[in-house]
Amino acid sequence: MRAQVVIVGAGPSGLLLGQLLHQQGIDTLIVERRSPDYVLSRIRAGVLEQGAQSMLEEAGVAARMHAEGLVHTGTELIFNGKRHRVDFKEHTGKTVMVYGQTEVTKDLMDARTASGAKIIYEAEDVTLHDFGSEKPRVSFRKDGMTHDVACDFIAGCDGYHGVSRESVPTDAIKTFERVYPFGWLGILSDTRPVSDELIYVNDPKGFALCSMRSMTRSRYYLQCRIDEKVEDWSDERFWNELRTRLDPEGAERLETGPSIEKSVAPLRSFVAEPMRFGRLFLVGDSAHIVPPTGAKGLNLAASDVRYLFDALVDFYKDHSNAGIDGYSARALARIWKAERFSWWMTGLLHRFPESSPFEQRMQGAELDYLFSSRAAQAALAENYVGLPY
Ligand code: FAS
Ligand code: PHB
């Protein structure tokens, strides 16, 4: 078997890259270790920057997003029982789109199927070979048979726990990591959202986030202990805890109902440098992770795809190596700024078990400054809607 580009992983990164390359007539094979249903069952991101929206439009998969997505012009923050709205549109002229990653992935899966381009699900033992040479290969097992695929390039779109980053010799890669001393307990429910916009809460009992997937489907998160067990959280316990962290208006408006998904996610900041190893490129979560407080994870995957897609088109159409040679530095420049914003938002809004009284006062002063300064709000807004590609 042969393909010009083998894409490992059929999450948003891999599917978006595959769709864009296929549109350019570049032959791709996507190899995914899970089933389509499993990939779609993971409840993840909810907010798309305009850059990511444009990528989906270019890929020809934005119709449902524009029909069903919710355009948000700002967000609310609650601290010390006070609400404050940060107006993205006023400060930046931009908005964000609330449209779940599950829907993005489904739209991309449908496009891949419609295009007839090759995708292998439930591939086992995916292994990367000879990516330091000009003849890389990817092997995998499917239905008991081993397949070996020669290619020009490998795109490691296989997430934080994937095989791609792990295939790089340890002396060729440097990683940077911070693991946060808490997690997020998330719930999905077919209930009317507590507000028309997202609400980020810094409460003495911990962070909370009120988000949504539509005006009839809500997504909520509570800061929880890092070792929290989701089975210890009945729906009732979740709703009662969320209600105590909201302000009176939110507590009054909160509509509760049965959960359709409940899970605990760890929070970490992580970056691997560089993101290119010969003919292997790391894309999306395989190269970086952000705490979801800044809603950057999926959006960073989109900008990585932009840079690698442009580079591969330059290679195949203009016979230029400039793009592939510059991919890592270009992607990392945007990644580190999003890592900073995600780390800052996490520090601003969470209660850290070990923080000193001085650090707690600093957090309070940071929030007071944010609530009282247009310049501070403009800085939050320009990072939240997405820095330029
Ligand atoms: P993904 O992890 O989505 O996809 C990688 C794919 O590769 C998966 O389908 C996996 O099955 C496959 N794979 C793995 N190993 C493989 C192998 N050896 N061979 C073949 N395939 C393999 N971001 C936000 O912006 N907001 C959020 O609220 C948010 N919540 C999150 C919650 C959780 C629990 C997690 C883990 C992430 C969350 N994120 C959030 C970040 C998330 O949205 C990612 O940024 C996004 O999924 C990145 O997409 P990919 O890079 O495609 O990686
Ligand atoms: C979500 O809707 O899942 C979501 C929104 C904003 C975030 C994190 C998660 O910062």
Side-chain angles (χ1 to χ4, degrees):
M1 210 188 289
R2 173 168 172 78
Q4 288 173 294
V5 182
V6 172
I7 297 170
V8 183
S13 297
L15 288 167
L16 179 57
L17 179 64
Q19 177 65 5
L20 291 167
L21 291 173
H22 180 77
Q23 286 178 321
Q24 293 296 320
I26 295 170
D27 176 37
T28 60
L29 167 68
I30 299 179
V31 184
E32 163 61 51
R33 76 172 165 188
R34 299 289 191 172
S35 70
D37 289 347
Y38 183 93
V39 175
L40 289 172
S41 69
R42 295 183 303 227
I43 306 300
R44 295 219 179 138
V47 173
L48 298 178
E49 299 171 352
Q50 277 183 334
Q53 296 170 52
S54 302
M55 296 287 292
L56 296 174
E57 287 162 358
E58 188 174 333
V61 297
R64 199 159 69 96
M65 174 189 71
H66 285 303
E68 298 176 15
L70 302 170
V71 176
H72 281 202
T73 60
T75 189
E76 294 202 283
L77 297 100
I78 293 178
F79 173 62
N80 267 350
K82 280 188 298 189
R83 267 189 202 219
H84 196 94
R85 183 171 185 273
V86 177
D87 191 322
F88 304 145
K89 200 161 175 69
E90 178 194 337
H91 291 293
T92 69
K94 292 181 181 175
T95 59
V96 294
M97 176 77 76
V98 172
Y99 187 66
Q101 175 171 323
T102 304
E103 309 315 317
V104 171
T105 306
K106 189 171 182 334
D107 295 339
L108 286 164
M109 277 181 176
D110 291 348
R112 186 79 182 176
T113 303
S115 73
K118 300 187 292 288
I119 184 164
I120 307 279
Y121 284 101
E122 297 179 284
E124 299 172 80
D125 297 334
V126 177
T127 309
L128 281 55
H129 307 274
D130 305 330
F131 49 81
S133 79
E134 294 197 351
K135 295 185 180 302
R137 295 181 295 114
V138 173
S139 64
F140 61 91
R141 223 180 45 252
K142 174 71 178 173
D143 300 334
M145 279 187 59
T146 297
H147 300 267
D148 199 286
V149 187
C151 54
D152 300 328
F153 298 102
I154 303 170
C157 300
D158 47 347
Y160 181 73
H161 299 290
V163 66
S164 296
R165 190 182 70 248
E166 292 305 313
S167 302
V168 176
T170 49
D171 62 358
I173 193 167
K174 184 169 177 51
T175 60
F176 305 80
E177 183 166 43
R178 172 167 189 194
V179 178
Y180 294 89
F182 39 72
W184 278 18
L185 170 62
I187 200 169
L188 191 68
S189 60
D190 281 334
T191 53
R192 180 181 44 79
V194 74
S195 167
D196 293 345
E197 292 182 324
L198 272 58
I199 305 178
Y200 289 84
V201 185
N202 177 323
D203 179 84
K205 299 180 74 183
F207 168 83
L209 171 59
C210 303
S211 184
M212 63 197 76
R213 293 293 178 269
S214 70
M215 290 317 287
T216 59
R217 177 164 286 192
S218 301
R219 178 69 169 164
Y220 294 105
Y221 297 95
L222 291 175
Q223 173 183 344
C224 64
R225 287 197 337 271
I226 199 167
D227 59 354
E228 200 71 71
K229 299 278 179 287
V230 69
E231 50 271 19
D232 293 343
W233 283 82
S234 67
D235 290 359
E236 186 186 8
R237 183 184 175 195
F238 184 96
W239 296 125
N240 290 341
E241 180 61 27
L242 175 60
R243 195 176 280 111
T244 67
R245 297 189 191 183
L246 288 170
D247 62 355
E249 180 189 344
E252 171 66 29
R253 286 176 52 99
L254 180 64
E255 181 181 306
T256 65
S259 60
I260 47 182
E261 188 270 354
K262 207 164 23 184
S263 55
V264 174
L267 267 64
R268 76 177 74 243
S269 298
F270 174 85
V271 179
E273 288 186 356
M275 290 169 61
R276 182 238 178 139
F277 309 89
R279 292 297 180 103
L280 168 64
F281 298 90
L282 300 182
V283 185
D285 274 20
S286 67
H288 45 76
I289 296 288
V290 285
T293 328
K296 290 294 152 231
L298 178 54
N299 291 296
L300 275 181
S303 47
D304 288 355
V305 168
R306 169 87 273 163
Y307 303 143
L308 184 55
F309 167 64
D310 289 347
L312 292 172
V313 169
D314 283 356
F315 177 85
Y316 282 112
K317 307 285 187 190
D318 303 336
H319 309 293
S320 160
N321 282 2
I324 55 176
D325 292 344
Y327 166 73
S328 182
R330 194 177 175 207
L332 285 166
R334 189 170 195 271
I335 288 159
W336 276 113
K337 290 194 278 284
E339 289 282 347
R340 182 209 67 83
F341 176 66
S342 305
W343 161 81
W344 176 77
M345 280 282 274
T346 303
L348 183 72
L349 295 167
H350 290 74
R351 294 291 162 135
F352 287 71
E354 310 305 320
S355 69
S356 67
F358 175 78
E359 286 161 335
Q360 288 164 24
R361 282 289 186 276
M362 283 297 98
Q363 186 186 65
E366 184 85 38
L367 280 155
D368 287 344
Y369 170 60
L370 176 63
F371 283 15
S372 61
S373 161
R374 289 180 50 79
Q377 291 164 35
L380 187 155
E382 77 168 350
N383 282 278
Y384 197 95
V385 300
L387 297 178
Y389 276 28

